Amino acid sequence: MGKVALVLTGGVAKGAYEAGVIQALAERQVTPDVIVGISAGAINGTFAASAIAHGNFRPEVVAEDLCWLWEHKVNARNLYDGGQRAPDTDLATRSLASIFGRLGIDPLRRQYLPRIGWDTLVAFEKLVRGEFAALISHDFLQTLLDARLFPVSEVVREVTLSVVTTNLQGATVMTDNMDIDARFSHYEDFIWRQRTLEEWQEFLPRLTNRLLASSSFPFVFPPRTVTDETGESRYHVDGGMMDCAPIGRAIKLDPEVDTILVSLGPTILSEDLDMAPTLPNMMGRVMTVMAGRFIIANYRKVVRVNRQIELLGPFLDKDSKGKTRRSDRNDALCRAAGFKGLEDFLSRRVVRLVPIAPAGGLNGGVFDGFFKPALLREYIAQGYKDTLEAIRPDDPLVPVAKPRRATARRSRPEA
């Protein structure tokens, strides 16, 4: 067996499904070597990567930390109120929640405590002029990440996390060979390996900023400024807008990856004909439709390439040792089969795809779980169940069972 990659597709409140997926993987003792995460999936993937690096990737640890957070901390009130921290960017001060607070309005409690003063007039002007960047700020997520991301004194196992964001200042360009290329999706890789304290102090804030950018659902959270490899600072938002299932990214990250687990639960849609036509429901539905489109395209592309490799391989000329010859004939055959050439074909490999998804869609809209804790618990349980069904005890991924010693319960850090 080669290495294992895990693709987590986010899904706003339905990201709780992935907490159940991660718990079940720990139960089966299937440890990812590569994780690709988008939005809530990037945050879930970070918790998994940190646990793997610490040598704590066990079901009870995931249940008491990640699942517990989704059940008890991730809700509308905490997201709206934030982490009681001073805003770190100008965008954070220009949220609708901040303006409402200055006006004395609390929509969640349905309260209005009128305030009189110059600042109230300024806030009212900003509201009327539409001078706000989003509904709420990143304060709560920032506080949550700050409390749980810390240097690893000894990395037990290296793991790579790729965080996907969407570059709002990207472009569609014409390449030299008269092809059209869209430069919106942005990937940044973070490797948990042995580092000095100074390196961790540079690594963790950069990771946190990318996670907040990847989870910036448009109009709910403000964009984040991300500095790219050229030194330019650009606005980035939710990675799911452009590439919600980057299976190809997982393949490219490590040539030894031969199995990819794809969490599809948050983006599987049911025929919800009774959905109320509210703005949040419509926004969530549109984003989920877009995500589903990307998932189908990514998944089918990998399946198609697998099939092309299997069919084309026997027709290529081999040398006496059974290796594919580098010849004009082989190059022409590869191009005819849809590859860029022989070298492109040789760089590809057949990978096993393991989809993890419920039989039907998850109940509720993408925001409903923030208001209904029972839905979050349902998502976690469904993700756990679906993963155990997708990866049976006799699956080649599952190592031979070894008895585990009892471990003490861990205290939960507060968000």
Side-chain angles (χ1 to χ4, degrees), residues 81-276:
D81 286 342
Q84 304 301 321
R85 56 186 292 126
D88 59 347
T89 66
D90 178 56
L91 285 173
T93 64
R94 290 192 286 121
S95 68
L96 192 58
S98 174
I99 293 175
F100 279 168
R102 292 160 66 183
L103 294 174
I105 300 172
D106 188 335
L108 293 183
R109 292 193 175 94
R110 299 182 181 180
Q111 293 178 348
Y112 176 44
L113 303 174
R115 296 181 179 179
I116 299 176
W118 177 254
D119 184 64
T120 304
L121 293 176
V122 173
F124 182 75
E125 179 189 14
K126 290 182 177 295
L127 177 64
V128 173
R129 293 167 64 95
E131 294 183 5
F132 47 88
L135 175 61
I136 55 180
S137 71
H138 289 107
D139 290 355
F140 171 72
L141 294 179
Q142 177 90 53
T143 302
L144 184 151
L145 292 170
D146 287 348
R148 285 168 173 77
L149 288 180
F150 48 86
V152 183
S153 57
E154 181 182 357
V155 175
V156 176
R157 177 167 176 165
E158 287 194 5
V159 58
T160 299
L161 169 74
S162 186
V163 179
V164 187
T165 60
T166 298
N167 179 6
L168 286 181
Q169 293 166 274
T172 303
V173 298
M174 185 72 73
T175 62
D176 294 337
N177 60 352
M178 300 304 291
D179 193 10
I180 298 178
D181 184 22
R183 299 174 180 172
F184 296 101
S185 292
H186 179 81
Y187 309 93
E188 187 149 355
D189 306 330
F190 298 86
I191 304 175
W192 271 257
R193 55 176 172 78
Q194 207 63 44
R195 299 174 182 271
T196 65
L197 180 59
E198 291 74 17
E199 289 174 332
W200 282 112
Q201 289 174 340
E202 185 278 331
F203 174 90
L204 295 176
R206 184 166 57 90
L207 170 61
T208 298
N209 185 54
R210 301 309 186 273
L211 293 174
L212 295 178
S214 183
S215 59
S216 292
F217 191 97
F219 310 115
V220 176
F221 292 104
R224 296 287 295 191
T225 54
V226 171
T227 303
D228 59 23
E229 57 276 3
T230 66
E232 294 287 335
S233 293
R234 303 180 186 279
Y235 289 129
H236 284 231
V237 294
D238 196 314
M241 290 185 64
M242 290 304 299
D243 194 351
C244 201
I247 302 172
R249 182 65 178 176
I251 296 174
K252 293 177 182 177
L253 272 175
D254 194 320
E256 296 182 30
V257 167
D258 63 6
T259 303
I260 301 179
L261 314 175
V262 188
S263 171
L264 304 174
T267 48
I268 296 294
L269 279 173
S270 61
E271 296 182 8
D272 190 2
L273 301 180
D274 297 326
M275 181 184 68

Side-chain angles (χ1 to χ4, degrees), residues 316-320 323-327 330-331 342 346:
L316 298 178
D317 293 334
K318 308 291 193 305
D319 60 20
S320 59
K323 292 186 177 180
T324 303
R325 293 181 185 276
R326 283 178 165 78
S327 65
N330 282 348
D331 187 73
L342 178 59
L346 293 176

Side-chain angles (χ1 to χ4, degrees), residues 68-83:
W68 181 85
L69 273 175
W70 275 104
E71 287 187 46
H72 301 283
K73 288 294 182 179
V74 181
N75 55 57
R77 171 52 60 190
N78 285 340
L79 286 166
Y80 186 83
D81 286 342

